[in-house]
Amino acid sequence: MPQSGIVKYHVKLSYEVDGLVERADIIGAIFGQTEGLLGPEMNLNELQRVSKVGRIEVSARTTANTTAGDALIPMSTDIDTCALIAAGIESIDKVGPFDCKFTLEAIDDVRAAKKDDIVKRAKEIKQKWATKTVSEGESMLNDVHQGDSKKLTTYGPSKLTCSSGLADSNWVILVEGRADVINLLRAGYDNALAIEGAKIDESIKELCNSKETVVAFLDGDRAGGFILKELKSVVPIDYELRADNDVEVEELTPQRIDEILSPVAEEIKGGKPAPTLQNEDDKPLAEMAAKVFPNLNETLEAVALDGDNNEIFKVPISEVVSKLSTQSGIKYLLLDGIITQRLLEGAKNAGIECVVGHRVAKLSNSDGMTLKTFGDLGVA
């Protein structure tokens, strides 16, 4: 195959000739008897010239008065051209003066085989280097967070990793692992405790019973959902928070951590939740929320609807305030998260009448707007 050609397929044929012939005779028959059969652009000589067909390989086995063997044609055309060439070769019925028969055995996708080899090699690379990479990564993490490590300590007989400020705080943030505790320290939260496993340690239960407020802040993947379910079965959880979808808490930026945790922190410190204006009849709103909730819950997204409950947009919560500044005609805003002061201001500027979320932070200047939680509406 010329270097400019990339082999995509191997066209494999077998043949039988009622006479004694040489390999060169077979190749001559393939080129000669297909020439002009499929049009000039399909001549094998022309296809070889433009690097669409490679060097044809032929094997031959002879007996007393017959010849049989195989032919391999490497091709870089599409599958339709491969099939057409194969059909043309199958039409050959003579090699010299002797009758013959060509039969297509297979058209192999060479790229598929390469993909299998790549996957196999990737597994070997992973097996060889994974352990080294993890150990080096842990070492780098320790180096980067050396300053924060002085703020780390342990809790309970199982020596679970926690922040040094946990003992003096009236609330606790439960996270999955040590790296999560470190990342929360970077964001300024020094009251986190690592669960360190799906099985909830007895000391965690005792701690949570001693705190006024318990916050679960878990990864945004499927495993985080399983851990949250297990945690809720043994510990009273006041706030359920998740990292962004398919993102781990240890991967979040300090800014993003603060965006998720600060509304809860403000509510815990400030005391009272924001006032909620009552509709004369919440039933239509509840019915609308019930339809939206299944596809919104645990997505960390927000949905905007018009007065006829038609969807205007659906975006991640982190983008909703900027999105509101460019949209009009929105009547309802429903979000998988907490209604914050910043979001409230953006909603008022956009002329939104009603906002529904999981919780409402401590807010000011919420007059004139209906604020509801999915719990208020009986949806969650």
Side-chain angles (χ1 to χ4, degrees):
M1 192 82 179
Q3 291 185 357
S4 58
I6 300 175
V7 176
K8 296 181 181 178
Y9 300 99
H10 279 163
V11 178
K12 298 179 179 179
L13 302 107
S14 61
Y15 67 89
E16 296 179 354
V17 182
D18 293 336
L20 298 177
V21 296
E22 303 290 336
R23 291 174 57 254
D25 298 321
I26 301 297
I27 295 174
I30 291 174
F31 277 92
Q33 295 190 47
T34 57
E35 184 176 1
L37 185 64
L38 305 175
E41 69 278 5
M42 288 293 179
N43 284 344
L44 288 174
N45 283 319
E46 176 62 18
L47 291 173
Q48 277 192 334
R49 187 186 69 80
V50 296
S51 302
K52 294 296 184 181
V53 172
R55 181 174 180 272
I56 299 176
E57 300 177 8
V58 173
S59 65
R61 303 180 299 275
T62 60
T63 61
N65 56 2
T66 63
T67 305
D70 302 296
L72 173 65
I73 308 174
M75 302 188 68
S76 62
T77 64
D78 54 58
I79 188 63
D80 294 338
T81 302
C82 289
L84 197 59
I85 294 297
I89 295 174
E90 277 191 325
S91 71
I92 299 173
D93 56 5
K94 291 284 186 180
V95 175
F98 305 112
D99 293 335
C100 74
K101 179 177 177 57
F102 280 83
T103 303
L104 177 66
E105 300 295 338
I107 298 180
D108 293 337
D109 189 334
V110 177
R111 296 165 299 175
K114 286 184 178 179
K115 290 176 184 177
D116 292 339
D117 290 340
I118 290 171
V119 171
K120 182 179 178 181
R121 177 56 182 156
K123 290 179 179 178
E124 292 174 353
I125 293 172
K126 177 183 176 182
Q127 184 176 8
K128 180 178 180 181
W129 292 98
T131 302
K132 180 178 180 181
T133 302
V134 170
S135 62
E136 289 182 351
E138 181 66 22
S139 175
M140 293 169 65
L141 182 65
N142 290 336
D143 291 341
V144 171
H145 298 298
Q146 187 173 7
D148 291 329
S149 64
K150 296 179 182 178
K151 300 179 182 178
L152 293 178
T153 184
T154 60
Y155 175 82
S158 300
K159 297 191 179 300
L160 303 174
T161 303
C162 68
S163 312
S164 58
L166 179 64
D168 299 326
S169 177
N170 63 344
W171 62 296
V172 57
I173 306 171
L174 300 178
V175 294
E176 294 185 33
R178 182 177 184 273
D180 300 337
V181 176
I182 293 173
N183 209 19
L184 262 65
L185 277 173
R186 294 175 62 206
Y189 294 88
D190 65 347
N191 58 333
L193 172 67
I195 299 170
E196 297 184 1
K199 185 177 181 181
I200 311 304
D201 193 85
E202 285 295 327
S203 62
I204 296 178
K205 303 176 188 178
E206 297 172 3
L207 175 70
C208 291
N209 289 331
S210 69
K211 298 295 182 181
E212 294 180 11
T213 306
V214 178
V215 177
F217 187 16
L218 305 176
D219 296 345
D221 54 16
R222 190 178 182 188
F226 289 139
I227 293 174
L228 177 60
K229 184 177 181 180
E230 177 66 21
L231 193 61
K232 289 168 62 177
S233 69
V234 294
V235 173
I237 304 297
D238 297 297
Y239 295 92
E240 302 171 14
L241 304 180
R242 302 288 296 278
D244 299 316
N245 195 34
D246 291 329
V247 176
E248 298 179 2
V249 172
E250 65 183 84
E251 299 172 335
L252 295 173
T253 63
Q255 180 182 357
R256 183 61 183 136
I257 289 175
D258 194 52
E259 288 176 353
I260 296 172
L261 280 174
S262 60
V264 174
E266 291 173 5
E267 187 170 325
I268 292 172
K269 294 175 182 177
K272 298 179 181 179
T276 301
L277 301 180
Q278 298 296 323
N279 293 341
E280 292 182 3
D281 184 4
D282 281 342
K283 186 176 179 181
L285 181 60
E287 291 176 350
M288 179 269 291
K291 293 179 181 178
V292 174
F293 184 77
N295 294 323
L296 181 65
N297 190 38
E298 297 188 355
T299 64
L300 296 175
E301 293 180 325
V303 175
L305 306 177
D306 63 16
D308 295 322
N309 297 341
N310 297 314
E311 182 176 314
I312 297 176
F313 66 76
K314 185 176 185 181
V315 297
I317 291 177
S318 59
E319 302 174 11
V320 67
V321 175
S322 60
K323 186 71 173 178
L324 290 175
S325 64
T326 64
Q327 296 288 333
S328 61
I330 303 172
K331 184 175 182 179
Y332 305 105
L333 181 68
L334 298 90
L335 62 145
D336 180 39
I338 301 172
I339 303 173
T340 64
Q341 185 68 47
R342 179 169 174 263
L343 187 141
L344 173 66
E345 297 299 330
K348 292 183 71 173
N349 291 336
I352 296 174
E353 298 180 11
C354 177
V355 181
V356 182
H358 281 292
R359 285 179 296 280
V360 182
K362 183 183 178 183
L363 304 175
S364 61
N365 193 25
S366 61
D367 296 340
M369 181 175 293
T370 300
L371 304 179
K372 293 287 186 180
T373 68
F374 290 108
D376 294 337
L377 300 174
V379 175

